[in-house]
Amino acid sequence: MIEQTDRAVGPTPSCGPVQVTGRLAAGGLLLAGLAWIVRAVWELRLALAGEPASGPPDQGGGVHRPLDALENSYHLVTSVGGAAVVLCVLLFLSWLLRLRDNADALSGQAPKYAGIWVYLGWIMPVVNLWFPRGIVADAFRRTAPGRKLPVSVEVWWVLWLIGMLSGVGIVYRDSTDEIIGRAYTDVWQLLASDAAVVGAAVAGAFAVRAVTAVQVERLRRGPQPQEEHAPAQPAGTPAGA
């Protein structure tokens, strides 16, 4: 199976898809970043407008007061932003699968992580702290043994973790109404988390472009027999990568 894939490697057909999926994934990340900037603007607008005399939207005990126009528009903004994030996820996973498949064909080595972790690695507690980054790093190192992982990958992952673990960023524990209540009282906490998410999106776009460029360069050279017989784990690969 690997031999058949290797014979097909080259500017066509493998090089084209990874370039296209890489561009789409980078675009999806930037779109998600833009959606989070809009959210931040609306949160700042809520803070500047001040909490209504009737109190926060979530009154506690399952009671919610009617929303004003600005609060309703924030719900719309978060819904549109959520759709942008879903699109970003689909585009990123499409790129990651292509990157991983190409790395398999180029190296002739089994990937470090089973294919199911491309999906579960993002949502499974504990392992989601390093598996997604590890999958990208593993594909990169099998594509270009001995080359250093782009710094943008590390920046992307650190900012992603900050946004995810902050509780008000990528993974919200609170409802939208509760987030509105936070905007009235703790807007700077929200804005700091938003900044981490936006930074992660921008760094992620650079990471996708950098990793894709290395694989495109490698694909254009075609399979190298001396690399196909290289050890499964290149020297210097971090144990947790």
Side-chain angles (χ1 to χ4, degrees):
M1 181 66 178
I2 289 175
E3 290 181 359
Q4 292 174 354
T5 308
D6 280 348
R7 284 196 293 269
V9 169
T12 60
S14 294
C15 183
V18 77
Q19 286 179 307
V20 172
T21 57
R23 288 169 183 162
L24 290 174
L29 284 161
L30 293 177
L31 178 63
L34 177 61
W36 240 263
I37 290 174
V38 174
R39 289 178 70 125
V41 169
W42 249 252
E43 287 159 3
L44 189 57
R45 289 183 64 193
L46 286 165
L48 292 174
E51 185 176 270
S54 52
D58 186 348
Q59 305 274 296
V63 178
H64 292 256
R65 66 164 171 77
L67 301 177
D68 62 27
L70 182 57
E71 292 166 344
N72 268 319
S73 66
Y74 182 73
H75 272 265
L76 177 62
V77 164
T78 56
S79 296
V80 173
V85 169
V86 170
L87 177 61
C88 173
V89 168
L90 294 175
L91 293 174
F92 188 89
L93 289 179
S94 176
W95 168 77
L96 187 56
L97 286 168
R98 169 59 61 179
L99 183 80
R100 186 175 178 274
D101 288 347
N102 285 351
D104 293 351
L106 287 167
S107 67
Q109 302 167 10
K112 186 174 180 179
Y113 301 89
I116 190 64
W117 292 115
V118 173
Y119 306 100
L120 291 184
W122 298 88
I123 59 176
M124 190 74 71
V126 182
V127 301
N128 63 357
L129 298 178
W130 76 89
F131 269 35
R133 176 217 171 260
I135 293 168
V136 174
D138 177 57
F140 178 86
R141 287 170 179 141
R142 287 185 297 124
T143 295
R147 292 189 64 166
K148 187 177 180 180
L149 191 68
V151 174
S152 54
V153 175
E154 308 292 7
V155 175
W156 157 66
W157 192 245
V158 169
L159 291 174
W160 166 269
L161 291 178
I162 292 172
M164 180 176 68
L165 297 176
S166 67
V168 293
I170 298 165
V171 180
Y172 286 107
R173 296 193 193 97
D174 297 337
S175 68
T176 303
D177 281 353
E178 288 172 325
I179 293 295
I180 290 173
R182 285 193 179 194
Y184 290 134
T185 58
D186 300 304
V187 70
W188 294 112
Q189 183 185 25
L190 288 174
L191 294 178
S193 182
D194 291 338
V197 174
V198 173
V202 174
F206 278 103
V208 167
R209 288 175 60 88
V211 173
T212 300
V214 170
Q215 189 166 90
V216 167
E217 177 189 341
R218 177 66 178 79
L219 284 164
R220 285 174 176 162
R221 289 191 284 115
Q224 303 295 317
Q226 64 272 25
E227 292 179 7
E228 290 174 4
H229 297 289
Q233 275 297 108
T237 301

